[in-house]
Amino acid sequence: MKTFFLLTVLSVSLHAQIFVRGSMGLNFVNMSPVRDYLNENYAPANDQAGSFNSAVEFGGEAGYHFDGYDIALEGVYEFSSFTYSLGYAQYTFDYTIFKPSLIYYKRIDGQGYFFRLGGGIGPRLVTVEETKPPVTTPVKYTSTGFGIVIAASGNTMLAKNTYIYIAGDLRYDLNGEPENESGVKIQSRFRAENISLNSLSAGIKLGITYNF
């Protein structure tokens, strides 16, 4: 049994190629509970949050190229901020979400390029910092959840083993209802309901892929 296991690991190592990727991008996020919360409680009539709002993303990925497919672990860090002036004070709502995902890709190889289409799933780690006037110290809220991602990317050779990475993805994340260290959740002043950060998003990104 040990011999079989060692042969299997050796076979995988011989037929797989390690790759890494770094990227940054822009996401267009529909987070309707947050939108409604901001518009009803803090956003002025001439500065209402829209159905989709932008968020910045930094991402990295490491995995293996096999014959015709890839398996990778991706880590994405998304953040966005909303700020409104309320008289002489300022309200802020900042959030960050760390999104690790295990992704399976179907890969199509060409001369000097490769194309991938895949999907994956993973946990979601959320942090919110909210500052409500007249208090100037932000209150921190956290939650955990999970999400799924569908991603497509094109990789064009820039130099030996180095590729320009251009990609797009769709994500559906159940990010939960953040709460502070006392267990208190974010709640509207006009509705008896907790605010979740569940979201649907589409993103575009640019980066570099390197094959070892």
Side-chain angles (χ1 to χ4, degrees), residues 100-178:
S101 298
L102 182 64
I103 304 179
Y104 172 88
Y105 296 100
K106 175 64 179 176
R107 193 183 74 252
I108 300 173
D109 296 302
Q111 188 64 39
Y113 73 91
F114 61 92
F115 175 81
R116 301 188 305 172
L117 178 64
I121 190 170
R124 303 295 183 251
L125 308 175
V126 179
T127 300
V128 173
E129 290 193 349
E130 184 181 39
T131 304
K132 296 180 180 180
V135 179
T136 57
T137 302
V139 177
K140 183 177 179 180
Y141 301 84
T142 60
S143 65
T144 58
F146 71 94
I148 58 175
V149 54
I150 299 173
S153 66
N155 294 263
T156 303
M157 183 175 287
L158 179 64
K160 184 180 179 181
N161 295 330
T162 304
Y163 294 79
I164 297 174
Y165 168 87
I166 302 174
D169 59 37
L170 295 173
R171 297 177 183 271
Y172 181 64
D173 297 318
L174 296 172
N175 295 314
E177 299 175 348

Side-chain angles (χ1 to χ4, degrees), residues 80-95:
S80 188
S81 178
F82 299 87
T83 302
Y84 302 105
S85 295
L86 304 177
Y88 293 100
Q90 184 169 275
Y91 169 86
T92 62
F93 185 99
D94 303 329
Y95 76 80

Side-chain angles (χ1 to χ4, degrees), residues 176-190:
E177 299 175 348
E179 60 183 40
N180 64 20
E181 59 183 9
S182 300
V184 177
K185 298 183 178 182
I186 304 171
Q187 192 170 79
S188 172
R189 292 180 296 178
F190 305 106

Side-chain angles (χ1 to χ4, degrees), residues 15-78:
H15 290 86
Q17 183 180 26
I18 297 173
F19 71 91
V20 295
R21 180 261 294 174
S23 63
M24 66 177 298
L26 185 65
N27 296 334
F28 301 94
V29 184
N30 177 278
M31 197 176 281
S32 55
V34 172
R35 177 201 64 205
D36 293 343
Y37 171 71
L38 295 175
N39 288 345
E40 292 173 0
N41 293 270
Y42 301 103
N46 63 348
D47 193 19
Q48 295 275 285
S51 296
F52 283 84
N53 297 279
S54 61
V56 176
E57 173 192 305
F58 291 97
E61 186 177 48
Y64 285 96
H65 291 307
F66 296 96
D67 292 333
Y69 69 96
D70 294 350
I71 295 178
L73 181 63
E74 178 192 58
V76 166
Y77 181 76
E78 176 186 290

